[in-house]
Amino acid sequence: DSGVTQTPKHLITATGQRVTLRCSPRSGDLSVYWYQQSLDQGLQFLIQYYNGEERAKGNILERFSAQQFPDLHSELNLSSLELGDSALYFCASSADLPPYTFGSGTRLTVV
Amino acid sequence: GQNIDQPTEMTATEGAIVQINCTYQTSGFNGLFWYQQHAGEAPTFLSYNVLDGLEEKGRFSSFLSRSKGYSYLLLKELQMKDSASYLCAVRDWGNTDKLIFGTGTRLQVFP
């Protein structure tokens, strides 16, 4: 157990739907990062939050949004889902500096 | 921007030594990381280089040359369980500490 908790582990949903992925960072970590990993693709950076505020944004689609709450857990919202959004979504957390610790991921399948 | 290149696949024999190369072209640089990822699982941290030279950690070593934009991960005494993808990542520069990942090198170890 890495200490970073992601729920749910698996999610199957239809095109056009909206889902929410949840991440609880390791105790004491203020930074949360979201990554997308499609089949045979590298980890694509989506967004970073630090202590409740957005710090960096990657190639995150407008249909996707995220937030970090006062208790430091984070949620990634994916809407108007398309088949191409099927992927593994990882959350990672860190204290002031890397390395990150990754959660076990949420496997999203859009049908 | 950031461009990180790694070989897509490599094969090796149990007990052998393998070197996985990574080259990067980045607008800024603040450290290079190596992660191991088994299929469908979370990446796990292996090593970190911020200064030129070799960092050794058990059977794994990582080397960095900042002037050449080059790193390698050296795995010794290969075991079957080392079959995995190895991800090279560069830490971004500036206000964010996000990691930009290469697409990874899939290593297969044969008996």
Side-chain angles (χ1 to χ4, degrees), chain A residues 39-102:
Chain A
L39 193 63
D40 294 332
Q41 295 290 314
L43 285 160
Q44 300 295 317
F45 172 72
L46 295 178
I47 198 162
Q48 176 196 0
Y49 278 84
Y50 179 85
N51 202 21
E53 295 198 3
E54 182 185 303
R55 176 167 276 191
K57 212 172 215 183
N59 297 323
I60 187 167
L61 299 172
E62 285 191 10
R63 301 184 285 108
F64 296 1
S65 65
Q67 54 185 326
Q68 186 179 29
F69 295 86
D71 67 352
L72 300 179
H73 92 271
S74 177
E75 292 182 356
L76 179 67
N77 301 297
L78 315 176
S79 61
S80 302
L81 284 167
E82 302 175 359
L83 296 178
D85 298 327
S86 296
L88 265 170
Y89 290 84
F90 286 104
C91 164
S93 73
S94 73
D96 288 336
L97 296 173
Y100 302 164
T101 300
F102 282 84

Side-chain angles (χ1 to χ4, degrees), chain A residues 31 33 35 37 40-43 45 48 55-56 88 90 94 96-100 102-104 107, chain B residues 33 35 37 39-45 48 87 91 95-104 106:
Chain A
S31 277
Y33 312 80
Y35 283 82
Q37 189 174 40
D40 294 332
Q41 295 290 314
L43 285 160
F45 172 72
Q48 176 196 0
R55 176 167 276 191
L88 265 170
F90 286 104
S94 73
D96 288 336
L97 296 173
Y100 302 164
F102 282 84
S104 57
R107 183 175 294 279
Chain B
F33 295 76
Y35 281 79
Q37 185 181 26
E41 298 183 8
T44 54
F45 169 72
Y48 167 57
L87 313 179
R91 182 183 171 202
N95 189 40
T96 173
D97 55 4
K98 70 178 188 284
L99 294 183
I100 306 299
F101 284 84
T103 53
R106 187 179 304 169

Side-chain angles (χ1 to χ4, degrees), chain B residues 39-104:
Chain B
E41 298 183 8
T44 54
F45 169 72
L46 290 178
S47 71
Y48 167 57
N49 296 73
V50 66
L51 300 176
D52 292 350
L54 189 68
E55 294 284 339
E56 296 186 81
K57 191 185 291 186
R59 294 190 299 115
F60 296 84
S61 303
S62 58
F63 171 84
L64 175 67
S65 168
R66 289 172 296 169
S67 63
K68 295 182 180 177
Y70 168 70
S71 173
Y72 67 72
L73 180 70
L74 195 69
L75 293 76
K76 304 175 189 174
E77 300 170 12
L78 281 172
Q79 303 174 9
M80 298 296 291
K81 67 178 182 180
D82 296 329
S83 293
S85 288
Y86 291 86
L87 313 179
C88 172
V90 172
R91 182 183 171 202
D92 204 353
W93 183 260
N95 189 40
T96 173
D97 55 4
K98 70 178 188 284
L99 294 183
I100 306 299
F101 284 84
T103 53

Side-chain angles (χ1 to χ4, degrees), chain A residues 6-11 21 87-90 104-108:
Chain A
Q6 287 189 250
T7 56
K9 291 194 183 305
H10 301 277
L11 200 50
L21 312 184
L88 265 170
Y89 290 84
F90 286 104
S104 57
T106 294
R107 183 175 294 279
L108 173 66

